[in-house]
Amino acid sequence: MFRSDMRRTSCAVFMFSFMLLAGNSAKAQTPLPLIPLPATAVEGTGSLSVDHGLQVVLEGYTEPRLERARARFLDTLSREIGTSGVPPQTVAGGKLIIKTAGPSAPVQQLGEDESYHLEITTTGAHLTAPTPLGVLHGLQTFLQLVHSTPEGYAVTGVTIDDKPRFPWRGLMIDTGRHFMPLDVLRQNLDGMEAVKMNVFHWHLSEDQGFRVESKTFPLLQEKGSDGLYYTQDQVRGILEYAHDRGIRVVPEFDMPGHATAWFVGYPNLASGSGPYKIERHWGIFDPAMDPTRESTYQFLDQLLGEMTALFPDAYFHIGGDECNGKEWDANPRIKQYMQTHHIKDDAGLQAYFTSRVQQLVTKRHKITVGWDELLQPDTPRDVVIQSWRGQDSLAEAARRGYRGLLSAGYYIDLNQSAADHYAVDPLVNGKAKLSPAEEANILGGEATMWTEYATPENITGKIWPRTAAIAERLWSAQSVKDADSMYRRIDTLSQNFAYYGLPYQGVREQMLRRLNSYSDPKALQILASVVQPPRDYAREELRAYDAFYPLNRLVDTVPPESNKAREFNELAARIAAGKAAPEDWRKARQWLALWRDNDAALQPSLPKSTLTAELAPLSHNLSQAATIGLLALDALQNNAPVSAEMQKQQLAELKELEKPQAILLNRIVPGVEVLVSAAKAQ
Amino acid sequence: MFRSDMRRTSCAVFMFSFMLLAGNSAKAQTPLPLIPLPATAVEGTGSLSVDHGLQVVLEGYTEPRLERARARFLDTLSREIGTSGVPPQTVAGGKLIIKTAGPSAPVQQLGEDESYHLEITTTGAHLTAPTPLGVLHGLQTFLQLVHSTPEGYAVTGVTIDDKPRFPWRGLMIDTGRHFMPLDVLRQNLDGMEAVKMNVFHWHLSEDQGFRVESKTFPLLQEKGSDGLYYTQDQVRGILEYAHDRGIRVVPEFDMPGHATAWFVGYPNLASGSGPYKIERHWGIFDPAMDPTRESTYQFLDQLLGEMTALFPDAYFHIGGDECNGKEWDANPRIKQYMQTHHIKDDAGLQAYFTSRVQQLVTKRHKITVGWDELLQPDTPRDVVIQSWRGQDSLAEAARRGYRGLLSAGYYIDLNQSAADHYAVDPLVNGKAKLSPAEEANILGGEATMWTEYATPENITGKIWPRTAAIAERLWSAQSVKDADSMYRRIDTLSQNFAYYGLPYQGVREQMLRRLNSYSDPKALQILASVVQPPRDYAREELRAYDAFYPLNRLVDTVPPESNKAREFNELAARIAAGKAAPEDWRKARQWLALWRDNDAALQPSLPKSTLTAELAPLSHNLSQAATIGLLALDALQNNAPVSAEMQKQQLAELKELEKPQAILLNRIVPGVEVLVSAAKAQ
């Protein structure tokens, strides 16, 4: 979780992304609504109608997974164009011929060929690929090309040759802090498939929960999960579901820290004296496995035997993050052991632990993955390092010959913007350039969704659509970096996500409706549309949360990034720069008036529910900021000078309005500040 | 389906309901947001907080179904208050003690005790019931009482004694015309549970599809279903799901007509010469079983043996509707048979067929249910008649000693209002009064959802929330008939339905978003909010539909009843009657201005998609009607006389605007007509 260091990192990321954005805002438009953008695409003329059905023919190599992919494709297509429930027609309108050269590996491997060739003309479509993996990707490209026309639904005529830039394009979901039911995992695997991600990193154990059934050590789940865990049959179900979508599943069992939940059932694993309880708070805690006892490794040997058999992937994640060593320091027996074995500090002790566990993983013919902490002077060369420290740290690992994954910059739980994440490239770093061989050590990256503040209800709407920006960064060419284009294409994808099995927009509306039981629903929607949870780790400083705290407030409902506020802030920037069209002026005035007047509609109902009572100052702030914005707009439009005193006062007031209320930021303030600052002062 | 006669019936129903509505509009308010209203409820003081968890304790008799009901209840409660994902707390806030006296019948029986007693105080809650059926109902009552307060979520303090008025409270879903996937059936069973309905009538065979797997005659599903059928395992899954919710499942196999799909695989069953194809149109068709051959009964004997074993309910529905006899008339062998056996007409032949099939049902120890047509001079007394002809016809059956169910007036596919359905009472009929013994023959009723125009996507939003009005009619006292109160309570239920597993509001928003790919989403929403599909059978006269016609237009998206238009029309009535508050005037003006201006925002984008192009005249009409409405409002507010000529012209124009466009009615027109007519003419 890397709380303290991450603070600095994410700040740097933010600055960096801001520069990139600015540099790219005038780039060429991308006409195809595809995300990720393909390696090459040549638009043809015309399009293929799908209004009278589509016959999908499998040629060449085939397997049940391809049959299921076809059925799923047709099902998604029918939802996309609204023909669910229409029986299959015997005479189909068009034909999509899929030709697969041969099988992919039985257990999906890192670096397998995922390429495909897709050709769509007015008379039909051809999808060819070396393996089913390419077919799966090509089908998603096809679905993204479907659109409505005056003549009905059609697919753009195009010839696409496509393959990924990085072989490891992952999404990590933390099911330890908040357990996520199977349907949530399946929805997110659907989302990953839509944007061609290929690794689901399943964070399965935490201080707050051990989430998978062990038959060898059943007290792990029985005492460490509140009954909220995945049975081995359910795990196999998810593995199949992922395999069907061209997605590898890498399990993570986090150790030696972040493991309190293990110790509830097996206190002898720990370095303290126990007894242990499931942790109910968020943060970094003292409990840690005892690296000095052979019984620890005997336990882990058996458990890893069981878990490496359950999860077929060649890679196995052992965590390794944020062990604070306090339990070790407090245990005289452990201090003694360190002295006897010439282990000079806690980092050294963790290195010893890691090397022992890594041997157990290797014994099961698996490759170890772990967080940055795993990288020590004598770490074995086949360990894969997942980097949170940043691109430089990743580059250093690569230079030392380790393969690595970037996650710094892809912490999607931190409420950064899609553009921020998009600007982070695994191969772009501030320092020295890597050689091609060293670059090849960088396998890709992973979006990481930690779940202190995510529930089964809202997690999918936090992960998507922003993760699509990361998916594009990892799939498409390095030169693809126009954030405006990315936002436009993400917007199209968002519209369609419901048909791909991700109903998070509907769920968000339901959550708003629940908050709304007494309020004017429109007024609450208007407020919700321009506020955002604070970035990074600000939330935990604003309120004391624990595992029992219900996440049912407005802050838990709104997306991490307000599209409306982003649009307004862009509008304000154009107005301030003297580049605004009349439509921009009209919109800015209309929106500001709406926001100014919204408070009066919303305020009376807010006190009726605990959930909305805290929103009163936030709603009031919005009205205040909009009022100032309208004054600035008047001044700018009339080219009327404003007193410097007044301007200073307004900017001071806006600084106040920028502060979070009800754990939410009023995100129109930056745009209003731009407007106020642009007025001529005298 | 009773197309032609139904037309007249539903017209009568409409008039009738109008009078009831008028008579009840000034009735007392019902404070508890329960639907159906309980037999007796006494409000206590205060309420029980559920913010810190709720411990649910099962006492007395228990069974796995009750454990599952408890888990489901807690799950729904957590969605209702937004605590999904919060781990169970060891120290719960309040306690709900459930005490069940004993088991219900292993196969749920008609007329079992469904009563319950629920007592909620500030310190806890007690639910007691003779059987699990009452417990299931009581838990739903509890869920409906949860609401948000300034102190958090709470349940109203109350003492309720409740039991149903009728023992048969059904919902029929036609899965023959459009196949409905399992999740759709499950959602609707969840809806039924929420409003205490207890019979799912599963219409399983039609001209357009035979929807259940037969192992004896597999060509029924293999050739008669387009691959869209329920396996027997899936059927058992639905039976369990229903049983868990206190719902019986009565299967319907419709014969001798409405059976074309059977004949695709087994043409010898039919009276014509074949070959047969799955019917792709809607309507009444000629194919009918051959009642004159023993092989027909041998086939049916085997099939009924299989199906009566699969479906455990004591009742078995054999359809019997709308056999037009044309295939019989055209077959000389059948004509000859009728002559030989002194069968004077087709009705007589069908009566002979029915009596033979009824014997086969009886042989399997089941009771036959069928549509009105089954009632003939010598129909056996234990046959249950499901009446579409109306309340008088039902009363006549009851007087003759037959048990019956009312469905006339509950045809929820016909886009009537909740108030229309609500006004129909199985025991209120225009003619002679029934004795108490005769009244006891009337078991209840069924809402019937035929699916020519319903798809898996939109069916749940057509069934709900209107069916809750029918559920109340069948559960609550006859004297409960205030439509305003019903609408208010339905509205609350609708808000909560998403948490009960019916996400139809979210789905509707998704469907609108799909229509919206190029349009101003708000403008299309505004148009959608005031239009309605035409009532009764008007739709099939406006466009040539068949089974392949995609149901993805605005008419397929909007609910059968526009709440917004209903509110406006009520507003207009108050204004016209001189009983409007200043707020009414303000609202009317604001809404009319919004509708007047909406066309300009919407019109430019409509031609960009085939799906929206047809909406241009409808959108224009709305603007026109609103403009006239605003003029009338001005005249009324200023008490200014209007020229009689102008008034006449406006009313003529409104008559035009009332006509359907894009299969949709502009439903604000009635209110505008009321305003125009109220202005002083000179």
Side-chain angles (χ1 to χ4, degrees):
Chain A
M1 296 295 303
F2 324 113
R3 290 308 185 191
S4 51
D5 282 76
M6 195 65 198
R7 258 182 208 103
R8 287 190 297 277
T9 313
S10 61
C11 179
V13 165
F14 179 65
M15 289 304 298
F16 179 60
S17 73
F18 185 75
M19 291 183 299
L20 259 188
L21 252 173
N24 279 302
S25 57
K27 280 266 165 84
Q29 307 260 329
T30 311
L32 291 172
L34 292 171
I35 191 156
L37 278 178
T40 71
V42 180
E43 260 196 271
T45 52
S47 56
L48 174 66
S49 165
V50 288
D51 265 352
H52 301 96
L54 181 74
Q55 209 183 326
V56 181
V57 182
L58 295 174
E59 290 186 358
Y61 168 78
T62 191
E63 61 181 25
R65 173 166 66 162
L66 283 169
E67 307 275 358
R68 289 194 295 271
R70 171 169 61 182
R72 202 165 66 243
F73 167 81
L74 286 170
D75 198 41
T76 306
L77 180 64
S78 77
R79 280 198 301 272
E80 205 176 346
I81 67 178
T83 57
S84 297
V86 171
Q89 299 198 49
T90 39
V91 184
K95 206 183 258 190
L96 165 61
I97 296 169
I98 298 175
K99 203 162 187 174
T100 315
S104 58
V107 173
Q108 192 172 328
Q109 301 294 311
L110 175 70
E112 279 196 80
D113 192 330
E114 297 180 81
S115 69
Y116 68 93
H117 172 85
L118 176 65
E119 204 168 326
I120 297 166
T121 67
T122 52
T123 56
H126 287 262
L127 171 59
T128 55
T131 79
L133 299 176
V135 171
L136 294 170
H137 295 319
L139 289 174
Q140 293 304 315
T141 300
F142 189 102
L143 287 173
Q144 290 189 8
L145 290 169
V146 175
H147 62 285
S148 182
T149 77
E151 288 78 43
Y153 278 106
V155 195
T156 315
V158 71
T159 301
I160 289 175
D161 275 293
D162 201 8
K163 61 177 184 179
R165 180 175 166 220
F166 291 104
W168 188 307
R169 306 177 305 280
L171 169 64
M172 188 215 77
I173 297 181
D174 167 14
T175 59
R177 288 179 177 76
H178 273 111
F179 177 75
M180 295 296 156
L182 298 171
D183 62 341
V184 168
L185 301 184
R186 286 190 290 255
Q187 278 174 21
N188 283 288
L189 289 165
D190 289 340
M192 291 174 69
E193 183 187 29
V195 296
K196 305 183 172 63
M197 295 182 98
N198 67 354
V199 180
F200 169 41
H201 170 172
W202 196 350
H203 187 81
L204 279 163
S205 71
E206 260 305 334
D207 294 308
Q208 292 83 5
F210 188 96
R211 302 301 185 191
V212 64
E213 174 193 26
S214 167
K215 301 196 191 223
T216 321
F217 301 108
L219 298 185
L220 283 171
Q221 72 272 12
E222 284 170 18
K223 301 217 162 177
S225 78
D226 297 305
L228 299 169
Y229 65 92
Y230 309 102
T231 66
Q232 295 201 358
D233 274 346
Q234 290 173 332
V235 167
R236 277 186 285 268
I238 291 293
L239 295 173
E240 272 174 43
Y241 198 90
H243 182 256
D244 260 15
R245 284 151 183 81
I247 297 169
R248 297 165 42 215
V249 178
V250 176
E252 177 183 352
F253 292 87
D254 204 349
M255 48 188 136
H258 282 296
T260 308
W262 307 45
F263 309 150
V264 186
Y266 299 95
N268 289 340
L269 273 178
S271 306
S273 54
Y276 291 91
K277 281 186 190 171
I278 294 178
E279 181 56 56
R280 300 303 185 186
H281 297 87
W282 311 131
I284 300 173
F285 302 97
D286 301 345
M289 289 182 191
D290 187 341
T292 68
R293 284 197 290 216
E294 280 311 301
S295 57
T296 301
Y297 302 107
Q298 283 156 12
F299 182 102
L300 291 176
D301 187 27
Q302 280 185 270
L303 183 70
L304 292 186
E306 186 181 11
M307 293 303 155
T308 54
L310 178 61
F311 293 92
D313 200 80
Y315 292 78
F316 195 89
H317 204 302
I318 60 167
D321 56 318
E322 294 183 328
C323 179
N324 68 12
K326 286 193 189 166
E327 264 199 357
W328 296 341
D329 301 342
N331 185 327
R333 188 174 43 73
I334 293 177
K335 295 303 276 183
Q336 181 59 49
Y337 182 95
M338 288 169 73
Q339 222 170 347
T340 312
H341 292 78
H342 310 295
I343 297 170
K344 69 169 195 288
D345 56 13
D346 291 341
L349 188 59
Q350 183 169 347
Y352 167 71
F353 174 82
T354 302
S355 73
R356 292 290 304 268
V357 176
Q358 195 264 347
Q359 283 164 32
L360 299 177
V361 173
T362 306
K363 175 180 155 188
R364 306 295 177 171
H365 313 292
K366 303 273 180 172
I367 300 165
T368 302
V369 190
W371 299 101
D372 273 299
E373 281 89 337
L374 257 61
L375 190 61
Q376 294 294 330
D378 48 1
T379 303
R381 275 298 132 88
D382 74 336
V383 169
V384 175
I385 303 299
Q386 182 162 13
S387 175
W388 59 269
R389 289 194 183 119
Q391 287 135 308
D392 290 340
S393 148
L394 179 67
E396 193 211 316
R399 204 173 296 112
R400 283 179 56 193
Y402 293 94
R403 295 181 303 163
L405 304 168
L406 186 65
S407 274
Y410 300 148
Y411 268 45
I412 50 175
D413 60 320
L414 297 187
N415 301 311
Q416 292 167 15
S417 72
D420 289 349
H421 297 306
Y422 193 57
V424 178
D425 190 298
L427 294 187
V428 174
N429 61 84
K431 296 191 184 155
K433 234 186 108 58
L434 295 178
S435 71
E438 288 162 353
E439 281 196 347
N441 282 335
I442 296 178
L443 303 174
E446 282 189 4
T448 47
M449 184 66 213
W450 304 102
T451 56
E452 285 93 338
Y453 304 110
T455 67
E457 193 173 42
N458 71 11
I459 188 172
T460 309
K462 287 177 183 281
I463 294 176
W464 306 102
R466 289 178 309 150
T467 295
I470 299 171
E472 172 154 293
R473 175 58 50 244
L474 298 173
W475 177 281
S476 306
Q478 192 175 337
S479 59
V480 173
K481 50 189 181 183
D482 177 351
D484 289 343
S485 159
M486 176 274 289
Y487 273 117
R488 274 197 306 278
R489 290 175 290 115
I490 270 192
D491 194 45
T492 308
L493 181 72
S494 300
Q495 300 290 325
N496 285 334
F497 254 152
Y499 312 116
Y500 298 180
L502 288 90
Y504 61 85
Q505 300 202 61
V507 171
R508 183 171 295 139
E509 281 151 16
Q510 285 162 24
M511 291 179 73
L512 261 184
R513 246 177 249 131
R514 183 173 57 213
L515 277 176
N516 258 333
S517 43
Y518 300 101
S519 315
D520 177 338
K522 283 229 183 66
L524 191 56
Q525 269 167 23
I526 288 167
L527 179 64
S529 73
V530 293
V531 295
Q532 258 178 230
R535 286 166 179 248
D536 304 336
Y537 299 98
R539 183 165 181 178
E540 61 200 35
E541 288 159 13
L542 293 167
R543 188 170 290 177
Y545 282 97
D546 65 15
F548 298 121
Y549 201 100
L551 298 172
N552 55 6
R553 308 275 172 124
L554 189 59
V555 65
D556 306 300
T557 304
V558 299
E561 183 175 9
S562 157
N563 282 335
K564 180 60 87 181
R566 182 168 51 78
E567 278 177 58
F568 171 74
N569 293 336
E570 287 167 7
L571 209 62
R574 284 199 298 276
I575 289 171
K579 292 178 180 166
E583 173 63 11
D584 288 336
W585 286 94
R586 197 192 58 74
K587 251 195 196 171
R589 186 170 294 282
Q590 191 195 329
W591 290 358
L592 286 167
L594 185 74
W595 298 329
R596 179 197 56 199
D597 300 338
N598 195 58
D599 189 48
L602 189 54
Q603 208 60 253
S605 57
L606 292 177
K608 293 185 188 165
S609 153
T610 10
L611 301 182
T612 50
E614 65 179 8
L615 301 175
L618 184 72
S619 171
H620 182 70
N621 277 7
L622 178 63
S623 174
Q624 293 291 99
T627 304
I628 298 174
L630 281 166
L631 289 173
L633 215 57
D634 284 341
L636 289 167
Q637 203 149 19
N638 305 327
N639 209 11
V642 173
S643 89
E645 183 55 31
M646 161 78 95
Q647 197 178 44
K648 197 178 140 197
Q649 196 186 321
Q650 286 178 337
L651 288 171
E653 196 176 338
L654 287 168
K655 270 278 160 276
E656 283 303 305
L657 299 178
E658 228 166 28
K659 291 182 183 162
Q661 292 286 357
I663 332 268
L664 282 163
L665 300 172
N666 171 353
R667 284 296 293 159
I668 70 158
V669 173
V672 173
E673 282 172 342
V674 164
L675 293 177
V676 170
S677 306
K680 244 193 324 201
Q682 67 173 17
Chain B
M1 297 294 301
F2 326 111
R3 292 306 186 192
S4 50
D5 282 76
M6 195 66 196
R7 259 182 207 100
R8 287 190 297 278
T9 313
S10 60
C11 180
V13 165
F14 179 67
M15 290 303 298
F16 179 59
S17 73
F18 186 76
M19 291 181 299
L20 260 188
L21 253 175
N24 280 301
S25 57
K27 279 265 166 86
Q29 306 262 328
T30 310
L32 291 173
L34 293 171
I35 191 156
L37 279 178
T40 70
V42 180
E43 260 196 271
T45 52
S47 54
L48 175 66
S49 165
V50 289
D51 265 353
H52 300 97
L54 182 74
Q55 210 182 327
V56 181
V57 182
L58 295 174
E59 290 185 358
Y61 169 78
T62 192
E63 60 182 26
R65 173 165 66 162
L66 283 170
E67 307 276 358
R68 289 194 295 272
R70 170 170 61 180
R72 202 165 66 245
F73 166 81
L74 286 170
D75 197 42
T76 306
L77 179 64
S78 77
R79 281 198 301 273
E80 205 177 346
I81 68 177
T83 56
S84 299
V86 171
Q89 299 196 48
T90 38
V91 184
K95 208 183 256 191
L96 166 61
I97 295 168
I98 297 175
K99 203 163 187 170
T100 316
S104 59
V107 172
Q108 193 173 328
Q109 301 294 312
L110 174 70
E112 279 195 81
D113 192 330
E114 298 180 82
S115 69
Y116 68 92
H117 172 84
L118 176 65
E119 204 169 324
I120 297 166
T121 67
T122 52
T123 56
H126 287 262
L127 171 59
T128 54
T131 80
L133 300 176
V135 171
L136 293 170
H137 295 319
L139 288 174
Q140 294 304 314
T141 300
F142 188 102
L143 287 172
Q144 291 189 8
L145 289 170
V146 175
H147 63 284
S148 183
T149 77
E151 288 78 41
Y153 279 107
V155 194
T156 314
V158 71
T159 301
I160 289 176
D161 274 292
D162 201 8
K163 62 177 184 180
R165 180 174 165 220
F166 291 105
W168 189 305
R169 305 175 306 278
L171 169 64
M172 188 214 76
I173 297 182
D174 168 13
T175 60
R177 288 177 177 78
H178 273 112
F179 177 74
M180 296 296 155
L182 298 171
D183 62 341
V184 168
L185 300 184
R186 285 190 290 254
Q187 277 174 21
N188 282 286
L189 289 165
D190 288 339
M192 291 174 69
E193 183 187 28
V195 296
K196 306 183 173 63
M197 296 182 96
N198 66 355
V199 181
F200 170 41
H201 169 172
W202 198 349
H203 188 79
L204 279 163
S205 72
E206 258 307 332
D207 294 308
Q208 292 83 5
F210 188 96
R211 302 300 185 191
V212 65
E213 173 194 26
S214 167
K215 303 199 189 221
T216 321
F217 300 110
L219 298 184
L220 284 170
Q221 73 273 13
E222 283 171 18
K223 300 215 163 178
S225 78
D226 298 305
L228 300 169
Y229 65 92
Y230 308 101
T231 67
Q232 294 200 358
D233 273 347
Q234 290 173 331
V235 167
R236 277 186 285 268
I238 292 293
L239 296 172
E240 271 174 43
Y241 198 90
H243 182 257
D244 260 15
R245 285 153 183 78
I247 297 169
R248 296 165 42 213
V249 178
V250 176
E252 178 182 352
F253 292 87
D254 204 350
M255 48 187 137
H258 282 296
T260 308
W262 308 45
F263 308 150
V264 186
Y266 299 95
N268 290 341
L269 273 178
S271 306
S273 54
Y276 291 90
K277 281 185 187 169
I278 293 178
E279 181 56 56
R280 300 303 186 187
H281 298 86
W282 310 132
I284 300 173
F285 303 97
D286 301 345
M289 290 180 190
D290 186 340
T292 68
R293 286 196 291 216
E294 281 310 303
S295 58
T296 301
Y297 303 108
Q298 284 156 12
F299 181 102
L300 291 176
D301 187 25
Q302 281 186 266
L303 183 69
L304 293 187
E306 186 181 10
M307 294 303 155
T308 52
L310 179 60
F311 292 92
D313 199 79
Y315 292 77
F316 195 90
H317 203 300
I318 62 168
D321 55 317
E322 294 182 328
C323 178
N324 68 13
K326 286 193 187 166
E327 265 198 357
W328 296 341
D329 301 343
N331 186 329
R333 186 174 44 72
I334 292 176
K335 296 301 277 183
Q336 181 58 51
Y337 181 96
M338 288 169 74
Q339 223 168 347
T340 312
H341 292 77
H342 310 292
I343 297 171
K344 68 169 197 288
D345 56 13
D346 291 341
L349 187 58
Q350 182 169 346
Y352 167 70
F353 173 83
T354 302
S355 73
R356 292 291 303 268
V357 175
Q358 194 262 347
Q359 283 163 33
L360 298 176
V361 173
T362 305
K363 175 180 154 188
R364 307 292 178 173
H365 312 293
K366 303 273 181 172
I367 300 165
T368 301
V369 190
W371 300 102
D372 272 300
E373 282 88 337
L374 256 62
L375 189 61
Q376 295 293 330
D378 48 2
T379 303
R381 276 297 133 90
D382 75 336
V383 169
V384 175
I385 302 299
Q386 181 163 13
S387 175
W388 58 270
R389 288 196 183 116
Q391 288 136 306
D392 290 340
S393 149
L394 179 66
E396 192 209 318
R399 203 174 296 109
R400 284 178 55 194
Y402 293 93
R403 293 181 304 161
L405 303 169
L406 186 65
S407 274
Y410 301 147
Y411 268 46
I412 50 174
D413 61 320
L414 297 185
N415 300 312
Q416 292 167 16
S417 71
D420 290 349
H421 297 307
Y422 194 57
V424 178
D425 190 299
L427 294 186
V428 174
N429 63 84
K431 296 189 186 158
K433 232 187 110 60
L434 295 178
S435 72
E438 288 162 353
E439 280 195 345
N441 283 334
I442 296 180
L443 303 174
E446 282 189 2
T448 48
M449 185 66 214
W450 304 102
T451 56
E452 286 94 337
Y453 305 111
T455 68
E457 194 173 41
N458 70 12
I459 188 171
T460 309
K462 287 176 183 282
I463 294 175
W464 305 101
R466 289 178 308 150
T467 295
I470 299 170
E472 172 154 294
R473 175 58 50 246
L474 298 172
W475 176 282
S476 306
Q478 192 176 336
S479 59
V480 173
K481 51 189 182 185
D482 177 351
D484 289 342
S485 159
M486 176 273 289
Y487 273 117
R488 273 197 307 277
R489 288 176 291 116
I490 270 193
D491 194 44
T492 307
L493 181 71
S494 301
Q495 300 289 326
N496 285 334
F497 253 154
Y499 313 115
Y500 299 179
L502 289 91
Y504 61 85
Q505 299 203 61
V507 170
R508 183 171 295 138
E509 281 150 16
Q510 286 161 24
M511 291 180 73
L512 260 184
R513 244 178 249 132
R514 183 172 57 213
L515 277 174
N516 258 333
S517 42
Y518 301 102
S519 316
D520 177 337
K522 284 229 184 65
L524 191 56
Q525 269 168 23
I526 288 167
L527 179 64
S529 73
V530 292
V531 296
Q532 258 179 228
R535 284 164 179 252
D536 304 339
Y537 299 98
R539 183 164 181 175
E540 62 200 34
E541 286 158 16
L542 293 167
R543 188 168 292 177
Y545 283 96
D546 66 14
F548 297 122
Y549 201 101
L551 299 172
N552 56 5
R553 307 276 173 123
L554 190 59
V555 63
D556 305 301
T557 303
V558 298
E561 182 175 11
S562 158
N563 281 334
K564 181 60 85 179
R566 181 168 51 79
E567 279 177 56
F568 172 73
N569 292 336
E570 287 167 6
L571 209 63
R574 283 199 297 276
I575 290 172
K579 291 178 182 167
E583 173 64 11
D584 288 336
W585 285 94
R586 197 193 58 76
K587 251 195 197 171
R589 186 170 295 281
Q590 190 195 331
W591 290 359
L592 286 166
L594 184 76
W595 297 330
R596 178 196 58 199
D597 301 338
N598 195 58
D599 190 46
L602 189 55
Q603 208 59 254
S605 59
L606 293 176
K608 293 187 188 166
S609 153
T610 14
L611 302 182
T612 50
E614 66 180 7
L615 301 176
L618 184 72
S619 171
H620 183 70
N621 277 8
L622 178 63
S623 174
Q624 292 292 100
T627 303
I628 298 174
L630 282 165
L631 289 174
L633 216 56
D634 284 340
L636 288 167
Q637 202 148 20
N638 305 328
N639 209 10
V642 173
S643 88
E645 183 55 32
M646 163 76 98
Q647 196 177 47
K648 198 178 138 194
Q649 198 185 316
Q650 287 179 336
L651 288 171
E653 198 177 336
L654 288 168
K655 270 275 161 274
E656 283 303 304
L657 299 178
E658 227 167 28
K659 292 182 183 162
Q661 293 285 358
I663 332 268
L664 281 164
L665 301 172
N666 171 354
R667 284 295 293 159
I668 70 158
V669 173
V672 173
E673 283 173 342
V674 165
L675 293 177
V676 170
S677 306
K680 245 192 321 197
Q682 67 172 20

